[in-house]
Amino acid sequence: MDFFPSVVQVLAGESHTVYAYCNDGAVRLVDVGPLIEKGGVFSAIADRRAFRDLLTVMNGTVAWDTSGTRNPSDCIDLDPFWIFEDCPVVEDPLKEVS
């Protein structure tokens, strides 16, 4: 069986970044800033508060529940393959927290 990447937990970072906790045990840093700068659907999360407050995991990936309904077909989400292939693995930002 082939490995299918999935995000299991998310944490908002500085600016428009997300720490994505993945099913391979790694934490990847996702910079959403360039996507927000392009506009389109991502303009809904340009506001830092909306970016942080709507951030969640849906469809096995980083997502924003912009409708507030937890409807997986009505959200902004990122391709989990892109996260696994293009986003750097980083140290867990919560590692020092006890």
Side-chain angles (χ1 to χ4, degrees):
M1 180 176 196
D2 292 327
F3 177 76
F4 190 84
S6 181
V7 174
V8 296
Q9 181 179 339
V10 292
L11 175 68
E14 295 297 316
S15 189
H16 287 103
T17 62
V18 175
Y19 292 95
Y21 293 75
C22 302
N23 64 338
D24 66 350
V27 178
R28 289 175 170 77
L29 185 61
V30 182
D31 184 1
V32 187
L35 297 172
I36 292 171
E37 288 175 10
K38 290 181 181 181
V41 298
F42 290 97
S43 61
I45 55 171
D47 175 76
R48 182 71 183 120
R49 177 173 274 169
F51 181 87
R52 183 190 65 238
D53 292 349
L54 301 175
L55 179 65
T56 189
V57 175
M58 280 197 277
N59 303 321
T61 192
V62 175
W64 290 267
D65 182 17
T66 55
S67 69
T69 62
R70 298 287 305 165
N71 182 344
S73 64
D74 190 21
C75 68
I76 299 170
D77 59 2
L78 302 176
D79 182 347
F81 285 95
W82 174 74
I83 294 170
F84 272 66
E85 294 170 4
D86 294 346
C87 297
V89 174
V90 297
E91 288 290 320
D92 184 347
L94 300 176
K95 187 175 181 179
E96 299 299 317
V97 177
S98 49

